[in-house]
mmCIF file of all heavy atoms in Angstrom:
data_model
loop_
_atom_site.group_PDB
_atom_site.id
_atom_site.type_symbol
_atom_site.label_atom_id
_atom_site.label_comp_id
_atom_site.label_asym_id
_atom_site.label_seq_id
_atom_site.Cartn_x
_atom_site.Cartn_y
_atom_site.Cartn_z
ATOM 1 N N ASP A 58 -22.362 44.220 -39.179
ATOM 2 C CA ASP A 58 -22.461 45.391 -38.348
ATOM 3 C C ASP A 58 -21.161 45.740 -37.670
ATOM 4 O O ASP A 58 -21.063 46.730 -36.985
ATOM 5 C CB ASP A 58 -23.498 45.124 -37.234
ATOM 6 C CG ASP A 58 -24.888 45.027 -37.858
ATOM 7 O OD1 ASP A 58 -25.387 45.962 -38.400
ATOM 8 O OD2 ASP A 58 -25.491 43.934 -37.784
ATOM 9 N N ALA A 59 -20.095 44.964 -37.898
ATOM 10 C CA ALA A 59 -18.769 45.251 -37.318
ATOM 11 C C ALA A 59 -18.064 46.334 -38.118
ATOM 12 O O ALA A 59 -18.291 46.466 -39.286
ATOM 13 C CB ALA A 59 -17.915 43.980 -37.263
ATOM 14 N N ASP A 60 -17.231 47.106 -37.444
ATOM 15 C CA ASP A 60 -16.433 48.107 -38.158
ATOM 16 C C ASP A 60 -15.240 47.439 -38.849
ATOM 17 O O ASP A 60 -14.886 47.866 -39.932
ATOM 18 C CB ASP A 60 -15.914 49.132 -37.128
ATOM 19 C CG ASP A 60 -16.989 49.944 -36.551
ATOM 20 O OD1 ASP A 60 -17.471 50.921 -37.198
ATOM 21 O OD2 ASP A 60 -17.445 49.701 -35.432
ATOM 22 N N ASP A 61 -14.698 46.427 -38.198
ATOM 23 C CA ASP A 61 -13.592 45.672 -38.848
ATOM 24 C C ASP A 61 -13.778 44.184 -38.451
ATOM 25 O O ASP A 61 -14.248 43.874 -37.385
ATOM 26 C CB ASP A 61 -12.222 46.173 -38.314
ATOM 27 C CG ASP A 61 -11.831 47.510 -38.926
ATOM 28 O OD1 ASP A 61 -11.896 47.660 -40.121
ATOM 29 O OD2 ASP A 61 -11.585 48.460 -38.126
ATOM 30 N N THR A 62 -13.336 43.329 -39.354
ATOM 31 C CA THR A 62 -13.402 41.905 -39.075
ATOM 32 C C THR A 62 -12.020 41.302 -39.435
ATOM 33 O O THR A 62 -11.474 41.562 -40.481
ATOM 34 C CB THR A 62 -14.476 41.213 -39.929
ATOM 35 O OG1 THR A 62 -15.755 41.801 -39.660
ATOM 36 C CG2 THR A 62 -14.593 39.716 -39.596
ATOM 37 N N TYR A 63 -11.562 40.477 -38.495
ATOM 38 C CA TYR A 63 -10.256 39.791 -38.609
ATOM 39 C C TYR A 63 -10.478 38.331 -38.687
ATOM 40 O O TYR A 63 -11.268 37.750 -37.890
ATOM 41 C CB TYR A 63 -9.286 40.153 -37.517
ATOM 42 C CG TYR A 63 -8.712 41.554 -37.614
ATOM 43 C CD1 TYR A 63 -9.420 42.609 -37.147
ATOM 44 C CD2 TYR A 63 -7.441 41.786 -38.134
ATOM 45 C CE1 TYR A 63 -8.899 43.911 -37.229
ATOM 46 C CE2 TYR A 63 -6.922 43.047 -38.275
ATOM 47 C CZ TYR A 63 -7.661 44.115 -37.761
ATOM 48 O OH TYR A 63 -7.110 45.375 -37.893
ATOM 49 N N ALA A 64 -9.722 37.613 -39.503
ATOM 50 C CA ALA A 64 -9.723 36.154 -39.533
ATOM 51 C C ALA A 64 -8.695 35.656 -38.540
ATOM 52 O O ALA A 64 -7.464 35.781 -38.817
ATOM 53 C CB ALA A 64 -9.444 35.662 -40.956
ATOM 54 N N VAL A 65 -9.168 35.110 -37.452
ATOM 55 C CA VAL A 65 -8.302 34.696 -36.344
ATOM 56 C C VAL A 65 -8.790 33.324 -35.805
ATOM 57 O O VAL A 65 -9.975 33.241 -35.473
ATOM 58 C CB VAL A 65 -8.212 35.680 -35.225
ATOM 59 C CG1 VAL A 65 -7.221 35.234 -34.120
ATOM 60 C CG2 VAL A 65 -7.919 37.083 -35.685
ATOM 61 N N ASP A 66 -7.896 32.361 -35.695
ATOM 62 C CA ASP A 66 -8.233 31.162 -34.935
ATOM 63 C C ASP A 66 -7.869 31.413 -33.497
ATOM 64 O O ASP A 66 -6.704 31.255 -33.070
ATOM 65 C CB ASP A 66 -7.447 29.976 -35.500
ATOM 66 C CG ASP A 66 -7.762 28.652 -34.759
ATOM 67 O OD1 ASP A 66 -8.552 28.685 -33.784
ATOM 68 O OD2 ASP A 66 -7.202 27.623 -35.133
ATOM 69 N N VAL A 67 -8.855 31.788 -32.729
ATOM 70 C CA VAL A 67 -8.560 32.223 -31.322
ATOM 71 C C VAL A 67 -8.213 31.074 -30.404
ATOM 72 O O VAL A 67 -7.734 31.258 -29.309
ATOM 73 C CB VAL A 67 -9.777 32.982 -30.698
ATOM 74 C CG1 VAL A 67 -9.917 34.366 -31.403
ATOM 75 C CG2 VAL A 67 -11.030 32.216 -30.775
ATOM 76 N N SER A 68 -8.390 29.824 -30.933
ATOM 77 C CA SER A 68 -7.883 28.687 -30.132
ATOM 78 C C SER A 68 -6.438 28.347 -30.408
ATOM 79 O O SER A 68 -5.841 27.501 -29.748
ATOM 80 C CB SER A 68 -8.758 27.444 -30.485
ATOM 81 O OG SER A 68 -8.509 26.989 -31.763
ATOM 82 N N ASP A 69 -5.844 29.132 -31.307
ATOM 83 C CA ASP A 69 -4.409 28.956 -31.684
ATOM 84 C C ASP A 69 -3.571 30.083 -31.106
ATOM 85 O O ASP A 69 -3.809 31.246 -31.443
ATOM 86 C CB ASP A 69 -4.292 28.859 -33.173
ATOM 87 C CG ASP A 69 -2.828 28.657 -33.614
ATOM 88 O OD1 ASP A 69 -2.329 27.556 -33.435
ATOM 89 O OD2 ASP A 69 -2.221 29.659 -34.070
ATOM 90 N N GLU A 70 -2.587 29.707 -30.323
ATOM 91 C CA GLU A 70 -1.754 30.727 -29.644
ATOM 92 C C GLU A 70 -1.082 31.651 -30.597
ATOM 93 O O GLU A 70 -1.102 32.921 -30.392
ATOM 94 C CB GLU A 70 -0.736 29.941 -28.785
ATOM 95 C CG GLU A 70 0.140 30.780 -27.889
ATOM 96 C CD GLU A 70 1.077 29.968 -27.007
ATOM 97 O OE1 GLU A 70 1.766 29.091 -27.610
ATOM 98 O OE2 GLU A 70 1.114 30.170 -25.829
ATOM 99 N N SER A 71 -0.458 31.189 -31.591
ATOM 100 C CA SER A 71 0.310 32.051 -32.517
ATOM 101 C C SER A 71 -0.608 32.982 -33.354
ATOM 102 O O SER A 71 -0.245 34.115 -33.565
ATOM 103 C CB SER A 71 1.174 31.189 -33.454
ATOM 104 O OG SER A 71 0.391 30.347 -34.260
ATOM 105 N N SER A 72 -1.811 32.438 -33.664
ATOM 106 C CA SER A 72 -2.764 33.295 -34.393
ATOM 107 C C SER A 72 -3.213 34.475 -33.546
ATOM 108 O O SER A 72 -3.283 35.603 -34.038
ATOM 109 C CB SER A 72 -3.965 32.435 -34.832
ATOM 110 O OG SER A 72 -4.868 33.172 -35.559
ATOM 111 N N VAL A 73 -3.417 34.231 -32.273
ATOM 112 C CA VAL A 73 -3.870 35.320 -31.378
ATOM 113 C C VAL A 73 -2.704 36.288 -31.102
ATOM 114 O O VAL A 73 -2.932 37.503 -31.006
ATOM 115 C CB VAL A 73 -4.448 34.748 -30.064
ATOM 116 C CG1 VAL A 73 -4.834 35.891 -29.116
ATOM 117 C CG2 VAL A 73 -5.694 33.914 -30.341
ATOM 118 N N ARG A 74 -1.559 35.753 -30.986
ATOM 119 C CA ARG A 74 -0.358 36.638 -30.807
ATOM 120 C C ARG A 74 -0.219 37.621 -31.879
ATOM 121 O O ARG A 74 0.019 38.799 -31.692
ATOM 122 C CB ARG A 74 0.910 35.781 -30.653
ATOM 123 C CG ARG A 74 2.148 36.634 -30.394
ATOM 124 C CD ARG A 74 3.440 35.810 -30.492
ATOM 125 N NE ARG A 74 3.563 34.876 -29.391
ATOM 126 C CZ ARG A 74 3.480 33.552 -29.499
ATOM 127 N NH1 ARG A 74 3.311 32.980 -30.710
ATOM 128 N NH2 ARG A 74 3.583 32.725 -28.468
ATOM 129 N N ASP A 75 -0.331 37.129 -33.129
ATOM 130 C CA ASP A 75 -0.299 37.975 -34.296
ATOM 131 C C ASP A 75 -1.365 39.023 -34.368
ATOM 132 O O ASP A 75 -1.174 40.180 -34.701
ATOM 133 C CB ASP A 75 -0.234 37.163 -35.582
ATOM 134 C CG ASP A 75 0.944 36.324 -35.761
ATOM 135 O OD1 ASP A 75 1.955 36.577 -35.067
ATOM 136 O OD2 ASP A 75 0.929 35.345 -36.568
ATOM 137 N N PHE A 76 -2.605 38.522 -34.012
ATOM 138 C CA PHE A 76 -3.736 39.467 -33.966
ATOM 139 C C PHE A 76 -3.536 40.552 -32.958
ATOM 140 O O PHE A 76 -3.851 41.702 -33.227
ATOM 141 C CB PHE A 76 -5.002 38.661 -33.701
ATOM 142 C CG PHE A 76 -6.250 39.487 -33.485
ATOM 143 C CD1 PHE A 76 -6.590 40.520 -34.346
ATOM 144 C CD2 PHE A 76 -7.039 39.260 -32.357
ATOM 145 C CE1 PHE A 76 -7.733 41.281 -34.109
ATOM 146 C CE2 PHE A 76 -8.157 40.022 -32.134
ATOM 147 C CZ PHE A 76 -8.511 41.076 -33.013
ATOM 148 N N ALA A 77 -3.029 40.187 -31.775
ATOM 149 C CA ALA A 77 -2.811 41.204 -30.693
ATOM 150 C C ALA A 77 -1.835 42.239 -31.146
ATOM 151 O O ALA A 77 -1.983 43.457 -30.835
ATOM 152 C CB ALA A 77 -2.379 40.495 -29.460
ATOM 153 N N ALA A 78 -0.776 41.807 -31.841
ATOM 154 C CA ALA A 78 0.250 42.705 -32.329
ATOM 155 C C ALA A 78 -0.382 43.710 -33.369
ATOM 156 O O ALA A 78 -0.153 44.920 -33.361
ATOM 157 C CB ALA A 78 1.456 42.004 -32.891
ATOM 158 N N GLU A 79 -1.185 43.128 -34.244
ATOM 159 C CA GLU A 79 -1.836 43.935 -35.268
ATOM 160 C C GLU A 79 -2.850 44.925 -34.635
ATOM 161 O O GLU A 79 -2.881 46.123 -34.990
ATOM 162 C CB GLU A 79 -2.548 43.024 -36.260
ATOM 163 C CG GLU A 79 -3.398 43.765 -37.313
ATOM 164 C CD GLU A 79 -2.623 44.520 -38.345
ATOM 165 O OE1 GLU A 79 -1.366 44.340 -38.396
ATOM 166 O OE2 GLU A 79 -3.166 45.353 -39.042
ATOM 167 N N TYR A 80 -3.631 44.459 -33.666
ATOM 168 C CA TYR A 80 -4.578 45.291 -33.003
ATOM 169 C C TYR A 80 -3.879 46.459 -32.285
ATOM 170 O O TYR A 80 -4.302 47.622 -32.379
ATOM 171 C CB TYR A 80 -5.374 44.478 -31.977
ATOM 172 C CG TYR A 80 -6.413 45.381 -31.296
ATOM 173 C CD1 TYR A 80 -7.716 45.478 -31.750
ATOM 174 C CD2 TYR A 80 -6.071 46.087 -30.140
ATOM 175 C CE1 TYR A 80 -8.642 46.291 -31.153
ATOM 176 C CE2 TYR A 80 -7.003 46.930 -29.496
ATOM 177 C CZ TYR A 80 -8.284 47.002 -30.049
ATOM 178 O OH TYR A 80 -9.215 47.830 -29.444
ATOM 179 N N ASN A 81 -2.782 46.141 -31.634
ATOM 180 C CA ASN A 81 -2.027 47.186 -30.886
ATOM 181 C C ASN A 81 -1.531 48.262 -31.807
ATOM 182 O O ASN A 81 -1.607 49.461 -31.454
ATOM 183 C CB ASN A 81 -0.957 46.536 -30.129
ATOM 184 C CG ASN A 81 -0.345 47.457 -29.048
ATOM 185 O OD1 ASN A 81 -1.063 48.274 -28.433
ATOM 186 N ND2 ASN A 81 0.966 47.394 -28.857
ATOM 187 N N SER A 82 -1.125 47.878 -32.982
ATOM 188 C CA SER A 82 -0.570 48.882 -33.948
ATOM 189 C C SER A 82 -1.694 49.661 -34.574
ATOM 190 O O SER A 82 -1.494 50.864 -34.953
ATOM 191 C CB SER A 82 0.282 48.185 -35.000
ATOM 192 O OG SER A 82 -0.496 47.358 -35.804
ATOM 193 N N GLN A 83 -2.863 49.048 -34.742
ATOM 194 C CA GLN A 83 -3.999 49.734 -35.459
ATOM 195 C C GLN A 83 -4.814 50.540 -34.561
ATOM 196 O O GLN A 83 -5.289 51.625 -34.914
ATOM 197 C CB GLN A 83 -4.860 48.674 -36.177
ATOM 198 C CG GLN A 83 -4.223 47.995 -37.335
ATOM 199 C CD GLN A 83 -3.952 48.897 -38.497
ATOM 200 O OE1 GLN A 83 -4.706 49.800 -38.780
ATOM 201 N NE2 GLN A 83 -2.775 48.695 -39.143
ATOM 202 N N TYR A 84 -5.083 50.050 -33.324
ATOM 203 C CA TYR A 84 -6.051 50.717 -32.467
ATOM 204 C C TYR A 84 -5.504 51.169 -31.121
ATOM 205 O O TYR A 84 -5.834 52.265 -30.626
ATOM 206 C CB TYR A 84 -7.201 49.745 -32.125
ATOM 207 C CG TYR A 84 -7.860 49.217 -33.367
ATOM 208 C CD1 TYR A 84 -7.582 47.952 -33.851
ATOM 209 C CD2 TYR A 84 -8.779 49.976 -34.108
ATOM 210 C CE1 TYR A 84 -8.152 47.444 -34.976
ATOM 211 C CE2 TYR A 84 -9.359 49.514 -35.234
ATOM 212 C CZ TYR A 84 -9.056 48.219 -35.686
ATOM 213 O OH TYR A 84 -9.618 47.710 -36.816
ATOM 214 N N GLY A 85 -4.616 50.366 -30.548
ATOM 215 C CA GLY A 85 -4.000 50.754 -29.248
ATOM 216 C C GLY A 85 -4.906 50.586 -28.023
ATOM 217 O O GLY A 85 -4.635 49.825 -27.155
ATOM 218 N N GLU A 86 -6.016 51.346 -27.995
ATOM 219 C CA GLU A 86 -6.884 51.302 -26.816
ATOM 220 C C GLU A 86 -7.894 50.172 -26.986
ATOM 221 O O GLU A 86 -8.322 49.800 -28.067
ATOM 222 C CB GLU A 86 -7.612 52.611 -26.676
ATOM 223 C CG GLU A 86 -6.615 53.834 -26.406
ATOM 224 C CD GLU A 86 -7.368 55.140 -26.228
ATOM 225 O OE1 GLU A 86 -8.597 55.163 -26.424
ATOM 226 O OE2 GLU A 86 -6.695 56.123 -25.925
ATOM 227 N N LEU A 87 -8.313 49.686 -25.772
ATOM 228 C CA LEU A 87 -9.249 48.580 -25.754
ATOM 229 C C LEU A 87 -10.096 48.716 -24.502
ATOM 230 O O LEU A 87 -9.587 48.678 -23.365
ATOM 231 C CB LEU A 87 -8.477 47.248 -25.702
ATOM 232 C CG LEU A 87 -9.312 45.964 -25.674
ATOM 233 C CD1 LEU A 87 -10.222 45.862 -26.879
ATOM 234 C CD2 LEU A 87 -8.416 44.746 -25.592
ATOM 235 N N ASP A 88 -11.440 48.818 -24.711
ATOM 236 C CA ASP A 88 -12.335 48.923 -23.602
ATOM 237 C C ASP A 88 -12.924 47.615 -23.133
ATOM 238 O O ASP A 88 -13.203 47.451 -21.947
ATOM 239 C CB ASP A 88 -13.509 49.880 -24.046
ATOM 240 C CG ASP A 88 -13.026 51.316 -24.242
ATOM 241 O OD1 ASP A 88 -12.947 52.086 -23.248
ATOM 242 O OD2 ASP A 88 -12.645 51.642 -25.397
ATOM 243 N N ALA A 89 -13.133 46.716 -24.045
ATOM 244 C CA ALA A 89 -13.765 45.440 -23.631
ATOM 245 C C ALA A 89 -13.424 44.317 -24.674
ATOM 246 O O ALA A 89 -13.157 44.631 -25.862
ATOM 247 C CB ALA A 89 -15.258 45.582 -23.519
ATOM 248 N N VAL A 90 -13.463 43.080 -24.212
ATOM 249 C CA VAL A 90 -13.273 41.917 -25.046
ATOM 250 C C VAL A 90 -14.420 40.934 -24.702
ATOM 251 O O VAL A 90 -14.510 40.522 -23.561
ATOM 252 C CB VAL A 90 -11.923 41.240 -24.863
ATOM 253 C CG1 VAL A 90 -11.832 40.065 -25.816
ATOM 254 C CG2 VAL A 90 -10.783 42.219 -25.073
ATOM 255 N N ALA A 91 -15.231 40.627 -25.677
ATOM 256 C CA ALA A 91 -16.296 39.633 -25.492
ATOM 257 C C ALA A 91 -15.832 38.305 -26.186
ATOM 258 O O ALA A 91 -15.666 38.267 -27.380
ATOM 259 C CB ALA A 91 -17.601 40.074 -26.116
ATOM 260 N N LEU A 92 -15.667 37.297 -25.329
ATOM 261 C CA LEU A 92 -15.115 36.071 -25.778
ATOM 262 C C LEU A 92 -16.244 35.025 -25.965
ATOM 263 O O LEU A 92 -16.673 34.324 -25.051
ATOM 264 C CB LEU A 92 -14.077 35.557 -24.735
ATOM 265 C CG LEU A 92 -12.968 36.577 -24.441
ATOM 266 C CD1 LEU A 92 -12.098 36.198 -23.298
ATOM 267 C CD2 LEU A 92 -12.116 36.793 -25.711
ATOM 268 N N LEU A 93 -16.710 34.971 -27.201
ATOM 269 C CA LEU A 93 -17.954 34.225 -27.477
ATOM 270 C C LEU A 93 -17.737 32.884 -28.302
ATOM 271 O O LEU A 93 -18.687 32.185 -28.438
ATOM 272 C CB LEU A 93 -18.905 35.142 -28.305
ATOM 273 C CG LEU A 93 -19.187 36.547 -27.674
ATOM 274 C CD1 LEU A 93 -20.225 37.233 -28.547
ATOM 275 C CD2 LEU A 93 -19.573 36.465 -26.252
ATOM 276 N N VAL A 94 -16.513 32.645 -28.695
ATOM 277 C CA VAL A 94 -16.273 31.412 -29.409
ATOM 278 C C VAL A 94 -16.468 30.235 -28.476
ATOM 279 O O VAL A 94 -16.024 30.230 -27.331
ATOM 280 C CB VAL A 94 -14.823 31.386 -30.010
ATOM 281 C CG1 VAL A 94 -14.474 29.947 -30.502
ATOM 282 C CG2 VAL A 94 -14.698 32.425 -31.104
ATOM 283 N N GLY A 95 -17.170 29.195 -28.972
ATOM 284 C CA GLY A 95 -17.363 27.965 -28.143
ATOM 285 C C GLY A 95 -18.155 26.927 -28.937
ATOM 286 O O GLY A 95 -18.583 27.162 -30.059
#
Side-chain angles (χ1 to χ4, degrees):
D58 294 296
D60 293 281
D61 288 306
T62 302
Y63 286 83
V65 184
D66 179 358
V67 291
S68 68
D69 179 74
E70 186 176 50
S71 61
S72 183
V73 177
R74 181 188 292 112
D75 292 344
F76 172 50
E79 175 69 14
Y80 181 92
N81 195 34
S82 66
Q83 291 293 325
Y84 305 101
E86 296 181 354
L87 180 60
D88 294 272
V90 181
L92 303 172
L93 310 185
V94 170

